[in-house]
Amino acid sequence: MEKTPSAYYYFNFYINMKSIYFGILIVFLSSTSTFTGFCQKTDANINGHVVDAQTNEHLPSVTISLKGTAIGIATDATGHYFLKNIPVGEFTLVASYVGYRTEEQKVVMEANRTLEINFVLEEESLSLDETVVSATRNETNKREAGIIVNILSNRAFETVASSNMAESMNFLPGLRVENNCSNCGTTQLRINGLEGQYSQILLDSRPIFSSLAAVYGLEQLPVAMIERVEVIRGGGSALFGSNAIGGVVNIITREPLRNSITLAGNAGVLGNGARDVNSSFNGSFVSDDHGAGIYLFGMVKNRDHYDRNGDGFSDIPQINSETLGFRAHYRTSPFSRLTAEYHHIHETRRGGNNFDSPPHEADIAEYLNHLIDGGGLHFNIFSPDSKHSFGIYASAQNIRRDSYFGVKRYSNNYGNTSDKTFVSGAQYTRRFGKMLFMPAELTAGFEYNCNSLLDSYVNLNRNIAQTTHITGVFLQNEWKTEWTGILLGMRLDKHSLMDRPVLSPRGTFRYSPNPAVNFRASYSSGYRAPQAYSEDLHIEAVGGALGLIHLAPDLKAEYSHSLSVSADLYRSFGKMQTNFLVEGFYTLLNDVFTMEKTGKDAQGNIVYTRRNASGASVRGINLETKLGVSGRFEVQIGYTLQQSLYAKPEQWSDMLTPQKRMFRAPDSYGYFTSGFNITRDFKVSVFGNYTGSMLVRHTFNMLDTEKNTPAFFDAGTKLSYHFHPGKMLDFEVSGGVKNLFDSFQKDVDYGQMKDSAYIYGPSFPRMLFFGVKIGI
């Protein structure tokens, strides 16, 4: 572990940040100069309208863009659009809209001439041709990607009535969100059975989600700021660097498309009368030519604590939070664009008892006060012939946390944490009509990531001072046609906590004998450095004492090798579209991190030591089925069968016999979502999750045990109705119930001696909810 950063380090950190932003400014100015010719008035224009293929009704908010440029606009409330002063030349005009099949038309622009180009879009219930960026770090059609990319869109958020990321991520194959603490409610996202620390969370493709941010981050990000979430299962270090062993979650924030304002409120009531209230707003504002725009968002959340067994101690924490932010863009020329993003989150959460008193006057208390500020700049340039593109970016996030973790009314267990993350990099892409044997796309770039963590609890004798610097370069080439695709790539990282650079190779192969079939195979590698991760920054109450995690002095890096094969089948039966996916996965972990109970420290706190085990493996099958009829219904079902085992029996407590099974890794789990349009304005959705039995730890009265949990099925439903008081006004009311059968843990621990980590199953009991949304 490194020493506390010096003043010299912070000076260099500051200089590096200024240098990157200065570099962006230079590229911005030079590109503006380079493309001045394209900004001159050409009076080459395009106008037209977009209609629904079945109803012939005009569609508002359809995105109209010129491929390979920064030019774009959205249709107005009447479904019409107008693009003016377009550069002279041949382009591809694209019309895209959520829930509809994307259409393209070739256009040849001439000076002083206006074209009329109209689009007729067919509704597509399953959204099979979406564009993704996480598969290759470039925009690509999801069906043509060499690896499987799953997407959660705004439509999915609406279907399952979620207000934040933690409530949404259970509804994809191979993914499971679980609550790990009944006091503070820390959650983790498991991908293909691996713990949350094994997955890399990105914000707009940038790895600014640090270990501290991951402790509570899934609940802190409101869906009001999210356009979609892209998920890749399996190793992703070749693309996104350290920690991407289990998978990659890329959170794409919303773009301003047209002038609009939305206000929403949702109130839920849990079984004992505890309330969960969420209020949000968002506004999209764009210039007449769509050359500039800003999307504003905000949310306020207030949730009461929930006591399941009536012992006076919470089993779900109290939360109060406010979120504000924006995403904006400015088109500096027809072929260049500058994008900026900023978010501010203030959240307090508390669990335990005696909520009307200060934390140190409670028998158990976990109290956390977070202030999070983050944002970034991204500048892109495209060549007029669409063969070249270049991007440079810089992102940063600062987290300040004041906290208290205590039992038995200790008054000095307050602490504070500071976490600073800075990411910068550049990427160049070259597209070839033919390289050797088929069209290709070459991508190269570099990325620098710096994180400084200071976590101090004087009375607990805990002081984590960790600074990491990661410098990486990546290179990949993808040969691709409609019927096949081959990708070879690698990334070389130098991590400051590791003596040698790490080379992470990657390869994918796709074969599509016809448009209805996709076969894929992939290999990827990954690594985790010997550093503190999200779980290590959490302190839990166990049997009237506190549990702290220490890192073994000889802890070394962990490496992974992931294999995946899949078949993706598409077929239509009349108006009904169907999609079936079967994927087999295998991940081998060398020097896997594990945790062992090693005694108590001088203050009487329980000490867990993170050390290396010999190895482990995770293998299984993901199954997914989708079917739907446009405008009528859509059903999606996913199921995972897996096995997570250590290579040799491991022992976390000397009271127990060593065994190979990984904890909190069920052999089977799944989900389903369904949406039905009863009428044009009345919609019903039904959704649910299944979690099979799993092995969990439990400590009570200083006795360590292991238990196989029962299986759980958690179902919910939502009803919504749209009113149209005016041409420009949309009003929606909704209501429903989550966890309809009140499927919740029956043996929650009691009293002051409870084990806060002994929590499993659905995160919430039965909850009735009611919502209102107004759109202008």
Side-chain angles (χ1 to χ4, degrees):
M1 200 68 66
E2 292 191 358
K3 296 181 180 180
T4 303
S6 63
Y8 175 75
Y9 158 73
Y10 283 113
F11 174 76
N12 277 312
F13 186 82
Y14 173 72
I15 293 298
N16 286 337
M17 290 185 68
K18 289 193 68 175
S19 299
I20 292 297
Y21 283 104
F22 181 72
I24 290 179
L25 180 61
I26 293 298
V27 174
F28 166 74
L29 293 175
S30 63
S31 68
T32 303
S33 174
T34 301
F35 294 112
T36 298
F38 297 111
C39 298
Q40 295 176 353
K41 186 175 180 179
T42 64
D43 201 24
N45 311 312
I46 305 177
N47 63 33
H49 64 247
V50 183
V51 298
D52 183 288
Q54 290 186 340
T55 65
N56 208 37
E57 293 182 352
H58 287 83
L59 297 174
S61 304
V62 177
T63 300
I64 307 294
S65 60
L66 284 184
K67 183 181 289 188
T69 75
I71 299 173
I73 200 169
T75 56
D76 60 22
T78 68
H80 290 78
Y81 72 95
F82 180 61
L83 290 170
K84 59 184 179 180
N85 287 323
I86 297 171
V88 173
E90 183 176 336
F91 299 95
T92 300
L93 190 65
V94 183
S96 60
Y97 193 42
V98 175
Y100 284 79
R101 184 170 298 159
T102 299
E103 296 291 340
E104 298 183 354
Q105 294 191 44
K106 295 285 187 180
V107 294
V108 177
M109 303 308 302
E110 300 177 3
N112 303 311
R113 182 185 177 193
T114 298
L115 301 180
E116 180 178 351
I117 305 295
N118 299 316
F119 288 93
V120 179
L121 299 188
E122 294 185 10
E123 197 167 3
E124 187 177 51
S125 61
L126 301 185
S127 300
L128 301 177
D129 291 309
E130 294 169 294
T131 298
V132 296
V133 296
S134 304
T136 63
R137 298 183 71 113
N138 297 303
E139 289 189 355
T140 186
N141 186 289
K142 186 176 74 169
R143 290 176 70 165
E144 295 179 359
I147 55 176
I148 297 169
V149 182
N150 287 107
I151 297 177
L152 273 176
S153 65
N154 186 63
R155 186 163 66 178
F157 302 148
E158 293 284 344
T159 298
V160 301
S162 61
S163 61
N164 58 59
M165 281 279 293
E167 297 175 358
S168 310
M169 299 304 293
N170 272 323
F171 298 95
L172 285 177
L175 272 63
R176 198 170 63 81
V177 177
E178 64 179 22
N179 182 3
N180 289 150
C181 180
S182 61
N183 285 336
C184 69
T186 176
T187 59
Q188 67 169 305
L189 172 65
R190 288 176 171 262
I191 300 181
N192 282 354
L194 293 172
E195 294 181 272
Q197 308 90 289
Y198 284 90
S199 299
Q200 179 72 276
I201 299 179
L202 310 173
L203 189 63
D204 289 322
S205 301
R206 313 295 170 234
I208 65 169
F209 233 72
S210 64
S211 294
L212 182 64
V215 180
Y216 304 101
L218 291 178
E219 277 196 301
Q220 293 172 338
L221 295 179
V223 297
M225 68 179 284
I226 300 172
E227 175 69 28
R228 68 185 187 277
V229 181
E230 299 179 7
V231 178
I232 298 174
R233 297 184 293 270
S237 289
L239 277 178
F240 300 107
S242 176
N243 308 336
I245 290 178
V248 175
V249 177
N250 194 359
I251 302 165
I252 310 296
T253 55
R254 288 193 180 184
E255 289 264 13
L257 295 177
R258 67 182 182 95
N259 294 318
S260 64
I261 298 175
T262 302
L263 304 174
N266 188 288
V269 180
L270 283 66
N272 66 349
R275 295 166 297 175
D276 186 352
V277 181
N278 299 273
S279 304
S280 67
F281 79 89
N282 59 70
S284 178
F285 307 95
V286 295
S287 61
D288 290 340
D289 63 353
H290 277 240
I294 186 170
Y295 180 86
L296 305 172
F297 59 85
M299 187 181 85
V300 176
K301 180 181 182 66
N302 294 287
R303 187 178 76 198
D304 297 333
H305 69 275
Y306 174 75
D307 178 7
R308 178 68 175 187
N309 53 21
D311 64 345
F313 294 85
S314 66
D315 299 303
I316 296 176
Q318 170 185 295
I319 293 180
N320 304 101
S321 69
E322 305 92 35
T323 303
L324 289 169
F326 70 84
R327 176 169 174 149
H329 70 256
Y330 175 65
R331 191 172 70 217
T332 57
S333 80
F335 299 97
S336 59
R337 190 167 94 147
L338 179 68
T339 303
E341 183 272 333
Y342 170 77
H343 58 273
H344 168 80
I345 301 172
H346 179 208
E347 183 203 74
T348 60
R349 60 174 61 208
R350 179 173 169 179
N353 71 334
N354 291 355
F355 284 84
D356 295 329
S357 302
H360 63 267
E361 294 182 8
D363 300 300
I364 295 178
E366 293 190 29
Y367 166 80
L368 302 109
N369 181 10
H370 288 90
L371 280 172
I372 303 173
D373 291 278
L377 292 172
H378 188 187
F379 188 70
N380 285 100
I381 307 173
F382 310 91
S383 66
D385 60 6
S386 299
K387 292 182 178 180
H388 306 267
S389 62
F390 176 77
I392 185 170
Y393 57 87
S395 299
Q397 182 164 269
N398 180 45
I399 304 176
R400 290 162 289 167
R401 184 179 83 174
D402 297 321
S403 54
Y404 174 89
F405 294 92
V407 295
K408 300 177 182 178
R409 307 192 179 214
Y410 292 138
S411 59
N412 297 320
N413 284 11
Y414 289 92
N416 57 77
T417 308
S418 171
D419 183 81
K420 297 178 175 65
T421 302
F422 175 70
V423 179
S424 63
Q427 177 177 313
Y428 168 74
T429 300
R430 171 70 160 93
R431 297 169 184 87
F432 298 88
K434 186 176 183 181
M435 178 190 283
L436 299 180
F437 46 86
M438 67 174 68
E441 185 175 75
L442 177 68
T443 302
F446 72 88
E447 188 168 73
Y448 170 72
N449 186 314
C450 176
N451 177 256
S452 176
L453 170 68
L454 298 173
D455 189 43
S456 177
Y457 294 85
V458 176
N459 196 53
L460 298 178
N461 195 30
R462 168 161 149 166
N463 185 41
I464 298 177
Q466 175 180 276
T467 300
T468 60
H469 304 270
I470 308 172
T471 303
V473 293
F474 55 88
L475 176 69
Q476 70 175 24
N477 193 71
E478 182 180 26
W479 293 271
K480 184 170 66 174
T481 66
E482 292 184 2
W483 57 271
T484 191
I486 302 170
L487 184 147
L488 297 174
M490 65 176 185
R491 176 168 173 144
L492 185 67
D493 281 331
K494 178 59 180 76
H495 197 295
S496 60
L497 299 184
M498 300 172 66
D499 294 332
R500 297 179 180 178
V502 179
L503 180 66
S504 301
R506 174 195 186 208
T508 71
F509 175 75
R510 175 184 59 86
Y511 175 59
S512 304
N514 60 66
V517 179
N518 261 336
F519 297 107
R520 295 182 176 94
S522 67
Y523 164 78
S524 58
S525 64
Y527 74 98
R528 289 209 299 162
Q531 65 185 72
Y533 290 94
S534 56
E535 185 179 346
D536 308 320
L537 302 176
H538 176 247
I539 300 173
E540 62 189 31
V542 183
L546 294 179
L548 306 177
I549 298 176
H550 293 179
L551 303 184
D554 59 347
L555 186 68
K556 55 186 178 181
E558 174 181 6
Y559 297 91
S560 73
H561 302 274
S562 298
L563 296 170
S564 172
V565 293
S566 65
D568 204 2
L569 310 175
Y570 307 87
R571 185 169 181 181
S572 295
F573 299 89
K575 294 183 177 180
M576 186 169 70
Q577 294 178 300
T578 65
N579 174 215
F580 176 72
L581 168 71
V582 55
E583 175 195 27
F585 60 89
Y586 176 79
T587 299
L588 177 67
L589 303 171
N590 296 323
D591 298 319
V592 62
F593 294 173
T594 188
M595 196 163 61
E596 181 180 7
K597 189 175 182 179
T598 51
K600 292 188 176 183
D601 61 15
Q603 287 75 32
N605 302 310
I606 300 172
V607 176
Y608 300 94
T609 300
R610 189 170 300 284
R611 59 174 180 80
N612 294 105
S614 59
S617 63
V618 179
R619 68 196 74 191
I621 298 175
N622 286 314
L623 304 169
E624 183 183 27
T625 298
K626 300 178 184 177
L627 57 98
V629 175
S630 297
R632 299 291 183 84
F633 74 91
E634 179 182 346
V635 177
Q636 184 171 325
I637 302 171
Y639 194 73
T640 299
L641 294 168
Q642 68 167 57
Q643 188 179 58
S644 305
L645 298 174
Y646 290 107
K648 297 179 181 179
E650 295 293 334
Q651 185 181 43
W652 71 276
S653 169
D654 56 13
M655 299 182 188
L656 300 169
T657 303
Q659 48 84 27
K660 286 188 173 184
R661 291 178 62 188
M662 287 186 176
F663 290 100
R664 307 186 76 93
D667 290 339
S668 62
Y669 50 95
Y671 73 95
F672 78 93
T673 64
S674 59
F676 304 90
N677 297 338
I678 307 303
T679 68
R680 178 182 174 182
D681 296 313
F682 180 40
K683 299 180 181 180
V684 177
S685 62
V686 182
F687 47 89
N689 289 102
Y690 168 79
T691 304
S693 177
M694 58 185 173
L695 186 68
V696 298
R697 302 183 180 98
H698 186 207
T699 299
F700 195 77
N701 288 331
M702 305 311 295
L703 179 65
D704 297 331
T705 61
E706 297 172 348
K707 178 176 179 178
N708 287 301
T709 70
F712 287 90
F713 179 68
D714 169 11
T717 185
K718 174 187 174 182
L719 291 78
S720 64
Y721 193 87
H722 285 260
F723 297 90
H724 306 280
K727 193 172 184 180
M728 304 293 292
L729 184 64
D730 184 67
F731 181 74
E732 178 191 282
V733 294
S734 61
V737 56
K738 297 180 182 179
N739 199 348
L740 178 64
F741 306 112
D742 199 27
S743 179
F744 199 80
Q745 181 179 346
K746 288 183 168 53
D747 61 341
V748 176
D749 263 4
Y750 280 79
Q752 186 175 347
M753 303 299 290
K754 68 184 294 184
D755 179 356
S756 63
Y758 185 61
I759 188 78
Y760 57 85
S763 299
F764 291 94
R766 181 189 294 122
M767 180 171 68
L768 303 176
F769 66 90
F770 175 79
V772 176
K773 183 164 66 175
I774 301 172
I776 301 174

